[in-house]
Amino acid sequence: MDAFPSIITALLGGAVTAAQVALGAALIAFGLGLALALLNVFTSVGLVRFAIGAYIEWMRNVPALAHLFLLYFGLASVGVRFSPKAAAIIGLGLVGAAVLCDVFSAGIRALHAGQREAALAVGLTPMQALRCVVLPQMLRLTLPSIGNYASQLIKDTSIASAIAAPEIMFYARSLVTSTFQTPLIYASAIALYASIVFPVSWMFNRMERRLGVGR
């Protein structure tokens, strides 16, 4: 147990990187996913919708680790180099964009078309109707799915250790190799992930209750 403080210190350093990767990936996923969802729902160009659908299917049906390997190892062979952290952020962000595009598209389609038409009828521009009427209601409807995605994303940061991103599992494996205190180290890593995920889940559940989601 004398090594426990140093183990926790190292794992906390990995937790900072995990949080950075999760936040960066979430920003990419949310921005790109929303843009793709709006195109998917409102465009009348069949080729655009086909391309978005193909992107979603590809990203969702190929393991995220394969995308990280392609970004970090594959592109390096043609001269495009990312740091491990950057590759993890981009890879998880692109996968998340496909997930959230589906979520947001379903949320927008769940709204009655008459609401947008009524907003336009009272003088709002299409952008104002989107910003003031469609998006707030869509976000309320999709909040549970966004919360699930956020929790899953934090756990998925563990695969970034496979490309040497210095997150929790990267440090855990390094510590196991050097100290051989396997149960203690991995139990500490699990507890650290839980200490991050549980507050995020609690926050989204509280937001759902305050907004009356499901009622």
Side-chain angles (χ1 to χ4, degrees):
M1 294 298 291
D2 291 341
F4 185 69
S6 61
I7 290 171
I8 292 299
T9 300
L11 293 180
L12 285 174
V16 172
T17 299
Q20 292 171 340
V21 169
L23 180 58
L27 291 174
I28 293 174
F30 197 92
L32 181 58
L34 181 57
L36 291 176
L38 293 175
L39 278 174
N40 193 34
V41 172
F42 293 115
T43 187
S44 59
V45 182
L47 183 61
V48 173
R49 297 170 74 171
F50 174 81
I52 293 172
Y55 172 80
I56 292 171
E57 290 301 315
W58 176 260
M59 285 295 178
R60 294 190 65 172
N61 291 296
V62 174
L65 183 58
H67 294 299
L68 266 61
F69 276 9
L70 176 61
L71 285 168
Y72 187 65
F73 297 113
L75 293 184
S77 65
V78 295
V80 180
R81 300 184 183 278
F82 293 107
S83 68
K85 186 190 296 186
I89 290 172
I90 295 170
L92 293 177
L94 292 177
V95 173
V99 174
L100 290 184
C101 176
D102 251 0
V103 169
F104 294 152
S105 295
I108 294 171
R109 292 192 176 105
L111 299 176
H112 196 284
Q115 295 191 42
R116 185 167 180 269
E117 294 169 359
L120 297 174
V122 298
L124 296 181
T125 66
M127 284 301 298
Q128 288 174 329
L130 184 67
R131 187 177 69 251
C132 300
V133 178
V134 176
L135 291 184
Q137 294 188 77
M138 180 274 289
L139 290 174
R140 179 177 176 273
L141 288 174
T142 58
L143 191 60
S145 297
I146 296 172
N148 290 337
Y149 164 73
S151 297
Q152 186 62 47
L153 176 60
I154 294 169
K155 292 180 284 186
D156 284 347
T157 60
S158 61
I159 67 174
S161 63
I163 58 171
E167 55 80 59
I168 297 171
M169 288 307 298
F170 175 85
Y171 282 113
R173 291 195 301 180
S174 298
L175 288 166
V176 166
T177 302
S178 60
T179 67
F180 302 102
Q181 299 191 50
T182 306
L184 175 62
I185 292 169
Y186 284 134
S188 299
I190 290 170
L192 192 51
Y193 278 116
S195 70
I196 300 172
V197 174
F198 285 162
V200 171
S201 298
W202 176 84
M203 179 186 70
F204 275 96
N205 288 334
R206 183 174 175 82
M207 289 170 63
E208 290 172 32
R209 289 195 299 270
R210 292 193 65 176
L211 294 175
V213 176
R215 295 205 299 268

